[in-house]
Amino acid sequence: MTKIGIILGSTRPGRNGEAVAKWVLDLAQKHGGAEFELVDLLDFNLPHLDEPVPPSMGQYTQEHTRRWSAKVSEFDGYVFVTPEYNHAPSGVLKNAIDFVYNEWNNKAAGFVSYGASAGGARAVEHLRLIMGELQVADVRAQVSLSFATDWQNWTEFTPGAQHEPTLNTMLDQLIAWSTALATVRNA
């Protein structure tokens, strides 16, 4: 069965992303069509990139890199749950992406973003460019959540009902692409 990792791209104390990632996981499990797992970057404690050789070489010297590599390798596709910090994804998410290379190749990605003004859309724009370099097929549909409308007092996550159909569309696209790209990885 196709396996999708839901990557929580924030480790910030008091982060809003944990509630978002759990919401995505809950709805994804109800959606079905794949196996879903929440991957919290906080559980990996990756330092700023500390490998002496470029990730594309796959010659990892650090145990944390080998552990991260193994986790990323488990999946056929990913949902990146990303905050928007200064019109970009979080540094910790970019760092985690940069730690490995081949493990991402020929897989698919979807995005759920959140932020103050544009619902994290600019963070996703950056991630789409990064995915292209990693040979990851990103799907068109994305969920953008706004602190103004999807949180009470900017602290309690209360997503609008209109986001669920969009999330389901994104999951449909992600599962289809993840499944199709398995033939490329297996060739």
Side-chain angles (χ1 to χ4, degrees):
M1 177 175 273
T2 299
K3 189 170 180 183
I4 306 293
I6 299 168
I7 299 178
L8 172 49
S10 173
T11 59
R12 187 180 212 165
R15 63 191 172 163
N16 289 296
E18 187 171 10
V20 176
K22 288 179 178 178
W23 173 77
V24 172
L25 177 63
D26 181 56
L27 291 177
Q29 289 173 331
K30 290 175 184 171
H31 177 281
E35 180 182 338
F36 298 93
E37 179 182 332
L38 179 58
V39 179
D40 189 340
L41 293 181
L42 194 59
D43 296 335
F44 289 86
N45 197 29
L46 295 168
H48 191 73
L49 187 58
D50 64 347
E51 289 287 345
V53 177
S56 61
M57 303 298 290
Q59 299 171 5
Y60 307 130
T61 62
Q62 306 293 332
E63 180 56 34
H64 54 258
T65 308
R66 289 190 289 273
R67 185 171 164 253
W68 178 239
S69 169
K71 180 52 68 179
V72 173
S73 295
E74 290 179 17
F75 301 106
D76 301 298
Y78 312 92
V79 175
F80 290 95
V81 176
T82 183
E84 180 174 298
Y85 297 158
N86 300 316
H87 292 203
S90 67
V92 72
L93 177 56
K94 177 66 166 80
N95 186 57
I97 291 168
D98 288 347
F99 252 93
V100 296
Y101 178 77
N102 295 311
E103 296 82 348
W104 301 113
N105 294 173
N106 298 312
K107 296 181 181 178
F111 307 99
V112 176
S113 60
Y114 57 96
S117 58
R122 294 168 294 218
V124 171
E125 289 174 357
H126 283 247
L127 287 171
R128 288 185 188 281
L129 292 170
I130 295 163
M131 293 299 112
E133 178 60 24
L134 295 172
Q135 302 177 57
V136 175
D138 56 294
V139 301
R140 183 179 183 275
Q142 73 184 55
V143 178
S144 297
L145 302 161
S146 171
F147 285 126
T149 58
D150 295 305
W151 272 265
Q152 290 183 3
N153 300 319
W154 291 54
T155 57
E156 184 184 343
F157 182 51
T158 55
Q162 74 277 11
H163 297 300
E164 190 169 339
T166 307
L167 179 62
N168 283 323
T169 298
M170 185 268 290
L171 292 171
D172 289 340
Q173 293 172 0
L174 180 59
I175 292 166
W177 276 96
S178 296
T179 303
L181 285 167
T183 59
V184 174
R185 290 191 309 279
N186 296 330

